[in-house]
Amino acid sequence: MNQWPVLFVTLKDVNGRDFPDAYGMLVQIISNLCKEHSYLKISYQLNWWLLSQDF
């Protein structure tokens, strides 16, 4: 437990008049989440795990 980061995403703020509007809001939410947690890109533990996997 608690070995890997878990990012929670809620869709409660995704709304719009039509699908393209809602899709744009979803893209913005995910983009902000990625920016907020960009430090994970340089995480030794995550990089080590990715390199150890046989895809």
Side-chain angles (χ1 to χ4, degrees):
M1 289 264 178
N2 297 325
Q3 293 182 8
W4 309 107
V6 175
L7 303 178
F8 292 97
V9 178
T10 179
L11 303 178
K12 69 176 179 67
D13 294 328
V14 176
N15 54 27
R17 292 177 294 149
D18 52 18
F19 180 78
D21 286 346
Y23 183 80
M25 292 182 80
L26 180 60
V27 167
Q28 189 63 42
I29 289 171
I30 292 173
S31 175
N32 291 342
L33 187 64
C34 290
K35 289 176 189 174
E36 182 180 347
H37 298 286
S38 63
Y39 60 89
L40 292 173
K41 291 190 294 187
I42 58 172
S43 167
Y44 172 76
Q45 290 89 355
L46 289 179
N47 288 327
W48 174 83
W49 180 81
L50 284 172
L51 291 174
S52 68
Q53 297 303 304
D54 227 3
F55 293 108

